[in-house]
């Protein structure tokens, strides 16, 4: 006789052993959830590194074309541990690798920590199991032994689960995070943290080293006897494993046979135990190999009619292949997998389907499932659901068999569409039954009392009736009947449903008594009395049914309705689900029930976590709920996809076929403008869109796990997702510039503008039919796409990069697609910016400020107001703002490069020379002696610096001019579309600037906005969007002092200005064509303006002072003393510098008086622009 301890004793808080084991199992479920989560989020650089090391030739090609970096040179496997000094030296000796290594450390250290902690937690988990077993053997847990725990139902469940979950962890670790990948993750974390920070690194390395199993390569052969060597790394004691297997062989440890009482359903009832046995047997490989009797017993009980097992949340295994290397297991399973048996099993389950579908259709018919019907037929309904779920389980699992011979027997008669219909109808019946039964449970007390009162009152009325005292009755008084009915009324009133067994027996006796009393002649002759007796029997019958309503029915229904075994397989049916929705949008109602049925994947992981009240409950619930919601989105996205397919037709109609009605119309032309056929098609397409909307909204609000899914939100998210893909795809495919010609550039922008305009108009047209704010969604998603692409493009200029998974603009529900980059740019924003820079190249174009345009040498306008208008029409305000932001990053990079180059070029000799020259020129208010010789010598000694200066400064100026034009375009658009907003922002900006100036004058009285104050940050976003800030006044970088920099820039201007001349026709500074290095004047000046702005304001004043001193000195030695010639014959060098100063004041908006402090006003007033031109 088996002795069983009370289950509640083992799980009580006072039972230390039970609580220890429960916490252990809870941890195991949490670790598995984290493994699955991390497996889906392996940083791509580690996969790239793995690919590069596995295929060096492909890696070399990828690195050569710039599509990938040399991650394989900084991310290593366990070979690093044998000679780590060599690997580290190789990185330290290469600046590129060092920079890349820093980038990976800063970008991925947090997620590497999570991976390592998860691997470490697996090791700690198995050590805690071993420690628990050791303490159990030593008697640490008073009155607890392994034998005693395994005799307790909760105890044997927890012991089996603890070992089973450890096995699942090991398998999932190897299948979701491949061995070579694990090694690289661990070594990377070790390199960045150091050996001393990781005391368990050796144990973790032993646990995680590669097994040779390649989950991403299904054709690759598994390692010999896999996964036994993996499980042997930290084994569980053999006697413990054999005892657990013994309990699983002999017992129904989860009491599931109560839910599936029919013998045919035994394998379904014991499916959970079967999956646990599959895992635990690998800890006792000798049983698989040699113990034929044990394997025969296991197969007969658990695998007599099935060979495809779901071992954890939909992860399946085909035992006919998996047990091939193990003689005892293979022999035992051979009877199950004989062709005759497989064919018979397949026929049995396919023959069930038509009858089951017929029964389900009958039950789901409108008005069939009422409360009364459920009360009377709940056993019949439960039997139907048992058979449905057993059939679904067998067919859905075995349709995925990997055994080719067995698959050939199953595939011909397998109908996926019929199986899906069976799943949908079964789920709908389960959902309806749960709902009705829950209502019955909630109303059980009220319904019982209601029927009891009605029955008692009927009996009391009959007692009064036979008293003979009731008015208007002509019945003979019968005291016996009167007393009997009063007694029955009292008995009915005293019925108590809390004692359901006693109440049930009494009700049956009362019904029998009421049937017998009808035989009395006085009652038999009275139809009214018989009616009262019939009503009372009916009330008692209802009470009998109500008393049989138990919570256990819902528990059984929950167990029977389990679909967690099909979690991964169900993805194969998404296309069939979507086809069903396309044909009939109202089928989403049944799909909703299926989604709720799928939520059973959360039952097993969460039950133990909930029992121990672990803080992991929310995290694990959230993870499984998120993957459920992601599945719901995948299925339901067919609705927005179908909508957008219809929208393409609407776009075609509205853009190319329907004519816009004029204000006035001739009567004769009315028929032409009516376009009845086209308008009929438009109405038809609109109707189809509204039908899809109606279908998804019919789903009602659904709680999927712990996440509430609103159908309207689901529809909106689906529409947003499809919209994002369409917009991103249109911009990525259209904004590709192959020829580099301005005509192609403009044609691509026009094409994109027309595409997006038609799309926008049609999208806004259907918004009322799908009950969404179309324009709001359009603006939000368009801005998100642009901002995301700008952010990713700007990553190349950042040390700490914002990776895709870190971006605030990326979303898992509404992802922005990633397209293959074209060499040179990451995405369309970069291509657009670089195309714009190409067409405004400072070496081949001329910028005329009066025309706000760039021209080529032949005088053809390349980029101008027309171009920026095209940009606004195509990529919109958000796109233009994104271009502006990218140009800012480019300018910052160029400035940083310039400053770094400058510090390298100024060696000791040049620094000493500049210092000596500064001493000779001071004070700047005087005119230096030997002016010609002094400046000639200075220009000769610094000539080698200028080539690097010219290119860098001109590029900066070119980008600043583009930013200036973008700001002008945005500002003009603001004045047109929202002048009040523009004026308000301008006033706000001026007010804030005044307050900041007052702060520096009186900090105590005018405090600066604190860091928590969002004023400046939010205001800046609005100002940039409206083009109010002036790019030339922006400080891009902070720089330390550079000795003699103003003098150096003065010499640079003096050396370069002779290469320019003033064109009287164009009224602009032009470059001499005979010069080898051609640089446009406007970007040259704007570049210097920007550069000087990055230093202290005193540098600009010194720069102007030095230029003024040069002009005065050259005039002093060059201009004659004759009064008539005075101020008329300025030398060319002087005129060029004066031209520069004039342009400098114009572009920098420096007041003329600032320059006049360094140069007399009359010199500016009297110089002639038309200086001699060098042919």
């Amino acid at each position: 006789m088996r002795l069983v301890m009370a289950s509640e004793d083992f799980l009580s808080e006072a039972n230390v052993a039970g609580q220890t084991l429960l916490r252990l199992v809870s941890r195991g479920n949490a670790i598995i959830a984290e493994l699955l989560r991390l497996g889906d989020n392996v940083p791509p650089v580690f996969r790239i590194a793995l690919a590069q090391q596995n295929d060096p030739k492909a890696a070399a090609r990828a690195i050569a074309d710039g599509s990938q970096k040399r991650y394989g040179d900084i991310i290593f496997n366990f070979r690093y541990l044998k000679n780590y000094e060599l690997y580290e030296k190789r990185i330290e000796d290469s600046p590129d690798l060092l920079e890349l290594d820093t980038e990976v450390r800063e970008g991925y250290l947090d997620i590497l920590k999570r991976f390592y902690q998860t691997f470490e937690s697996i090791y700690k988990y198995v050590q805690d199991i071993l420690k628990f077993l050791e303490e159990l053997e030593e008697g640490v847990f008073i009155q607890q032994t392994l034998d005693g725990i395994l005799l307790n139902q909760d105890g044997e469940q927890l012991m089996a689960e603890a070992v089973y979950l450890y096995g699942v962890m090991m398998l999932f670790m190897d299948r979701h995070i491949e061995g070579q990948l694990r090694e690289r993750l661990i070594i990377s974390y070790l390199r960045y943290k150091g050996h001393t920070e990781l005391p368990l690194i050796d144990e973790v390395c032993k646990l995680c080293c590669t097994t040779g199993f390649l989950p991403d390569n299904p054709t690759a052969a598994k390692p010999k006897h896999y996964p036994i060597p993996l499980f042997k790394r930290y084994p569980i004691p053999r006697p413990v494993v054999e005892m657990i297997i013994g309990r699983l062989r002999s017992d129904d440890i989860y009491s599931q046979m109560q839910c599936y009482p029919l013998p045919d359903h035994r394998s379904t009832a014991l499916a959970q135990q079967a999956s646990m046995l599959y895992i635990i047997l690998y800890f006792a490989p000798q049983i698989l190999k040699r113990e034929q009797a044990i394997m025969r017993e296991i197969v007969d009980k658990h695998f007599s009619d099935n060979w495809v097992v779901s071992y954890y949340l939909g992860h399946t295994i085909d035992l006919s292949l998996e047990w091939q290397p193990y003689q005892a297991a293979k022999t035992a399973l051979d009877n199950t997998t004989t062709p005759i048996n497989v064919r018979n099993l397949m026929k049995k389950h396919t023959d069930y389907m038509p009858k089951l579908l017929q029964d389900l259709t009958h039950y789901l018919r409108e008005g069939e499932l009422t409360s009364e019907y459920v009360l009377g037929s709940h056993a019949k309904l439960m039997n139907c659901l048992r058979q449905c779920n057993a059939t679904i389980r067998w067919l859905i699992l075995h349709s995925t068999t990997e055994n080719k011979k067995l698959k050939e027997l199953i595939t011909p008669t397998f109908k996926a569409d019929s199986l899906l219909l069976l799943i949908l109808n079964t789920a709908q019946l389960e959902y309806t039954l749960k709902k009705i039964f829950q209502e019955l449970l909630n109303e059980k007390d009220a319904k019982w009392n209601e029927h009891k009162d009605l029955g008692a009152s009927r009996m009391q009325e009959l007692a009064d009736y036979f008293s003979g005292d009731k008015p208007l009755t002509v019945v003979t008084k019968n005291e016996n009947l009167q007393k009997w009915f009063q007694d029955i009324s009292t008995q009915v009133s005293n019925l108590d449903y809390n004692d359901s067994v006693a109440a049930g027996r009494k009700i049956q006796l009362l019904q029998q008594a009421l049937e017998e009393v009808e035989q009395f002649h006085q009652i038999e002759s009275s139809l009214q009395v018989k009616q009262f007796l019939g009503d009372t029997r009916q009330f008692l019958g209802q009470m009998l049914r109500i008393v049989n309503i138990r919570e256990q029915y819902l528990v059984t229904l929950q167990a029977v309705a389990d679909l967690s075994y099909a979690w991964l397989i169900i993805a194969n049916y998404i296309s069939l689900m979507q086809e069903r929705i396309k044909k009939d949008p109202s089928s989403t109602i049944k799909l909703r029930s299926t989604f709720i049925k799928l939520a059973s994947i959360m039952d097993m992981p969460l039950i133990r976590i909930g029992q121990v009240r672990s803080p992991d409950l929310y995290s694990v619930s959230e993870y499984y709920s998120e993957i459920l919601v992601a599945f719901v989105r995948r299925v339901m996205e067919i609705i927005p996809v179908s909508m957008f397919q219809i929208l393409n037709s609407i776009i075609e109609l509205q853009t190319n076929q329907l004519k816009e009605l004029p204000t006035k119309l001739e009567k004769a032309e009315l028929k032409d403008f009516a376009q009845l056929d086209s308008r009929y098609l438009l109405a038809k397409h609109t109707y189809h869109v509204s039908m899809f909307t109606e279908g998804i909204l019919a789903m009602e609000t659904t709680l999927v796990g712990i996440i509430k899914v609103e159908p309207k939100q689901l529809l909106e998210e689906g529409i947003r997702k499809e919209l994002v893909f369409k917009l991103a795809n249109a911009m990525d495919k259209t904004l590709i510039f192959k020829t580099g010609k301005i005509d192609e550039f403009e044609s691509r922008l026009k094409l994109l503008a027309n595409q997006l305009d038609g799309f926008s108009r049609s999208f806004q047209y259907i918004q009322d039919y799908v009950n969404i704010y179309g324009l709001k969604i359009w603006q939000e998603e368009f801005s998100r796409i642009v901002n995301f692409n700008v952010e990713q493009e700007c990553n190349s200029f950042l040390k700490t990069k914002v990776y895709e998974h870190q971006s605030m603009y990326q979303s898992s529900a509404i992802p922005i697609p990633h397209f293959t980059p074209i060499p040179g740019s990451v995405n369309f924003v970069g291509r657009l910016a670089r195309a714009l820079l190409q067409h405004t190249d400072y070496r081949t174009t001329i910028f005329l400020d009066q025309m706000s345009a760039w021209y080529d040498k032949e005088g053809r306008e390349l980029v101008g107001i027309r171009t920026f208008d095209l940009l606004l029409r195509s990529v919109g305000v958000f796109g233009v703002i994104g271009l502006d932001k990218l140009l800012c990053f480019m300018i910052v990079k160029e400035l940083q490069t310039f400053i770094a180059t400058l510090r390298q070029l100024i060696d000791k000799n040049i620094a000493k020379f500049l210092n000596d020259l500064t001493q000779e020129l001071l004070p700047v208010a005087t005119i230096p002696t030997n002016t010609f010789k002094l400046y000639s010598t200075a220009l000769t000694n610094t000539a080698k610096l200028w080539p690097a200066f010219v290119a860098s400064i001109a590029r900066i100026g070119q980008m600043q001019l583009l930013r200036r034009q973008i700001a002008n375009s945005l500002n003009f658009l603001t004045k047109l579309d929202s002048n009040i907003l523009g004026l308000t922002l301008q006033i706000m900006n001026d007010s804030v600037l005044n307050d900041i100036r007052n702060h520096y004058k009186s900090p105590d009285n005018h405090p600066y906005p604190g860091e928590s104050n969002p004023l400046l940050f939010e205001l800046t976003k609005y100002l940039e969007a409206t083009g109010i800030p002036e790019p030339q006044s922006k400080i891009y970088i902070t720089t330390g002092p550079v000795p003699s920099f103003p003098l150096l820039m003065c010499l640079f201007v003096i050396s370069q200005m002779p290469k320019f001349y003033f064109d009287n026709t164009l009224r602009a500074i032009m470059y001499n064509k005979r010069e080898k290095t051609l640089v446009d004047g406007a970007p040259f000046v704007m570049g210097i303006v920007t550069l000087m702005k990055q230093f202290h304001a005193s540098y600009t004043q010194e720069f102007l002072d030095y230029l003024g001193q040069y002009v005065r000195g050259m005039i002093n030695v060059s201009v004659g003393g004759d009064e008539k010639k005075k101020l008329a014959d300025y030398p060319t060098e002087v005129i060029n510098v004066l031209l520069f100063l004039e342009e400098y004041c114009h572009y920098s908006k420096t007041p003329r008086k600032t320059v006049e402090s360094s140069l007399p006003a009359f010199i500016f007033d009297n110089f002639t622009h038309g200086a001699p031109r060098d042919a």
Side-chain angles (χ1 to χ4, degrees), residues 307-320:
W307 65 93
V308 179
V309 180
S310 171
Y311 62 90
Y312 193 88
L313 296 187
H315 291 74
T316 58
I317 203 76
D318 190 331
L319 296 181
S320 65

Side-chain angles (χ1 to χ4, degrees), residues 115 350 458 554 602 867 928 968 1026 1126:
F115 274 100
T350 49
R458 288 286 195 277
L554 286 178
M602 300 180 65
T867 311
N968 290 340
T1026 51
K1126 212 164 194 179

Side-chain angles (χ1 to χ4, degrees), residues 557-659:
L557 185 56
Q558 182 73 13
V560 168
D562 174 52
L563 195 62
S564 60
Y565 58 86
W567 169 241
L568 297 182
I569 304 171
I570 201 73
N572 301 333
Y573 294 80
I574 288 178
S575 58
L576 291 173
M577 293 179 187
Q578 292 177 338
E579 283 298 319
R580 191 170 289 276
I581 293 171
K582 285 179 76 173
K583 291 177 184 175
D584 179 15
S586 64
S587 61
T588 53
I589 296 171
K590 289 183 180 178
L591 280 169
R592 174 177 181 258
S593 305
T594 308
F595 299 147
I596 295 171
K597 183 178 176 71
L598 275 170
S600 57
I601 68 164
M602 300 180 65
D603 294 345
M604 183 181 172
L606 293 182
I607 187 168
R608 300 304 185 190
I609 298 175
Q611 283 177 336
V612 80
R613 294 189 289 277
S614 168
D616 294 324
L617 181 63
Y618 178 78
S619 172
V620 177
S621 303
E622 185 181 43
Y623 169 69
Y624 289 116
S625 298
E626 283 173 353
I627 61 174
L628 275 168
V629 172
F631 175 78
V632 173
R633 289 195 182 104
R634 280 183 64 193
V635 175
M636 302 308 292
E637 71 183 8
I638 188 62
I639 289 181
V641 168
S642 302
M643 283 182 176
F644 276 78
Q645 289 172 352
I646 297 169
L647 191 62
N648 290 334
S649 303
I650 293 174
I651 291 169
E652 173 65 24
L653 285 168
Q654 289 193 326
T655 307
N656 301 325
Q657 295 186 29
L658 288 175
K659 300 175 185 177

Side-chain angles (χ1 to χ4, degrees), residues 283-478:
F283 289 102
Q286 75 283 354
I287 296 177
L288 286 169
K289 294 175 183 177
R290 294 183 293 274
E291 301 287 348
Q292 291 192 11
I294 296 175
M295 285 308 304
R296 180 80 243 174
E297 182 185 350
I298 289 172
V299 169
D300 286 345
K301 184 174 181 180
H302 297 89
F303 306 111
S304 61
D305 61 354
N306 69 98
W307 65 93
V308 179
V309 180
S310 171
Y311 62 90
Y312 193 88
L313 296 187
H315 291 74
T316 58
I317 203 76
D318 190 331
L319 296 181
S320 65
L321 299 177
E322 194 69 14
W323 281 355
Q324 280 288 332
Y326 312 109
Q327 185 59 43
K330 177 180 176 298
T331 305
L333 192 68
D334 280 346
N335 288 340
T336 303
T337 55
T338 58
I340 295 174
N341 191 45
V342 171
R343 201 176 287 113
N344 290 339
L345 288 169
M346 185 65 191
K347 185 177 186 304
K348 181 177 79 169
H349 289 289
T350 49
D351 288 348
Y352 277 139
M353 285 184 67
K355 176 69 168 62
L356 292 173
L357 285 170
Q358 183 180 347
D359 290 346
L360 290 170
T361 304
H362 168 72
Y363 293 139
L364 292 173
R365 197 167 52 204
E366 186 74 28
E368 185 69 27
L369 279 180
T370 60
S371 299
E372 288 74 16
Y373 184 83
V374 170
L375 281 172
S377 309
H378 59 82
K380 181 181 175 183
L381 290 166
M382 182 61 77
N383 286 333
C384 176
L385 289 176
R386 287 188 181 109
Q387 188 59 59
C388 287
N389 280 285
T391 302
I392 290 168
R393 173 183 277 271
W394 198 95
L395 288 172
I396 203 168
L397 285 176
H398 291 82
S399 65
T400 65
T401 181
E402 296 173 2
N403 190 316
K404 292 181 180 178
K405 292 181 180 178
L406 301 183
K407 198 171 187 69
E408 289 173 0
L409 299 173
I410 290 172
T411 304
T413 55
F414 176 71
K415 296 178 181 178
D417 196 41
S418 298
L419 179 59
L420 176 61
L421 182 60
L422 181 62
I423 294 170
L424 294 177
N425 287 348
T426 302
Q428 183 65 24
L429 179 58
E430 287 167 356
Y431 174 75
T432 309
L433 266 181
K434 282 179 187 175
K435 191 175 178 181
I436 292 172
F437 223 82
Q438 190 62 57
E439 288 174 358
L440 288 171
L441 278 171
N442 294 338
E443 298 172 358
K444 182 176 179 180
D445 192 9
K447 289 280 187 184
W448 169 274
N449 290 327
E450 179 187 348
H451 288 94
K452 183 175 73 172
D453 293 343
L454 286 171
S457 65
R458 288 286 195 277
M459 292 296 96
Q460 186 58 49
E461 287 180 35
L462 286 176
D464 294 342
Y465 177 77
F466 285 106
S467 67
D469 298 333
K470 200 167 183 181
L472 303 178
T473 60
V474 288
V475 67
T476 306
K477 180 177 180 180
N478 189 326

Side-chain angles (χ1 to χ4, degrees), residues 1098-1111:
S1098 62
Y1099 273 39
T1100 302
Q1101 188 58 54
E1102 287 180 38
F1103 170 64
L1104 295 175
D1105 288 344
Y1106 282 126
L1107 284 176
Q1109 185 184 38
Y1110 172 77
V1111 170

Side-chain angles (χ1 to χ4, degrees), residues 800-851:
T800 305
K801 304 188 185 310
V802 181
Y803 294 99
E804 190 170 327
H805 66 278
Q806 298 170 325
S807 175
M808 63 180 290
Y809 304 110
Q810 188 57 285
S811 164
S812 57
I814 314 164
I816 298 170
H818 176 77
F819 299 99
T820 305
I822 295 174
S825 297
V826 176
N827 52 55
F828 69 88
V829 177
R831 297 198 295 271
L832 188 58
R834 288 174 177 87
L836 206 54
L837 287 169
Q838 180 188 352
H839 295 306
T840 58
D841 192 344
Y842 63 88
R843 293 165 294 193
T844 58
T845 61
I846 301 166
F847 177 75
L848 297 181
D849 194 41
Q850 303 90 328
M851 306 300 292

